Amino acid sequence: AFRKEDMSRFASFCAFALQMMHEKEFFIQKAIGWTLREAAPKAPKLVFDFTLQHAAAMSSVTFKEASRKLSAAQQKKLVAARNAGKKD
């Protein structure tokens, strides 16, 4: 579980990630996903909730990395949400 200071850092990261979500630079997209991926084992619900809320706006690489260490059930829900949120 996250400690109080970890929660504060995660909230700061989320605010920053949202500002950078539409950045076209591959390594920025990948870094957002990596950070979420590495947080997932300690805070899967936080990562799931953030990814669910922003799935449609995430690049493919961000989404893939963010969901990588979540449970299969969570991944399935995220894919469904992402597909539902995509514009045709």
Side-chain angles (χ1 to χ4, degrees), residues 58-85:
M58 288 180 171
S59 71
S60 296
V61 70
T62 302
F63 181 80
K64 179 180 174 183
E65 291 299 327
S67 60
R68 186 177 298 249
K69 290 187 179 178
L70 295 173
S71 71
Q74 288 173 317
Q75 289 177 8
K76 187 175 180 178
K77 288 178 186 176
L78 289 173
V79 168
R82 182 171 168 82
N83 290 339

Side-chain angles (χ1 to χ4, degrees), residues 52-57 77-88:
L52 182 64
Q53 185 174 359
H54 304 289
K77 288 178 186 176
L78 289 173
V79 168
R82 182 171 168 82
N83 290 339
K86 289 274 187 187
K87 295 180 174 88
D88 293 331

Side-chain angles (χ1 to χ4, degrees), residues 14-81:
C14 289
F16 177 74
L18 288 174
Q19 292 175 10
M20 301 299 289
M21 193 74 68
H22 298 288
E23 174 65 45
K24 300 295 183 200
E25 173 62 43
F26 172 80
F27 288 107
I28 290 175
Q29 295 173 4
K30 187 97 170 170
I32 293 169
W34 281 343
T35 303
L36 291 166
R37 181 191 71 203
E38 292 305 308
K42 289 186 177 183
K45 181 164 177 21
L46 288 175
V47 172
F48 174 78
D49 290 347
F50 180 85
T51 305
L52 182 64
Q53 185 174 359
H54 304 289
M58 288 180 171
S59 71
S60 296
V61 70
T62 302
F63 181 80
K64 179 180 174 183
E65 291 299 327
S67 60
R68 186 177 298 249
K69 290 187 179 178
L70 295 173
S71 71
Q74 288 173 317
Q75 289 177 8
K76 187 175 180 178
K77 288 178 186 176
L78 289 173
V79 168

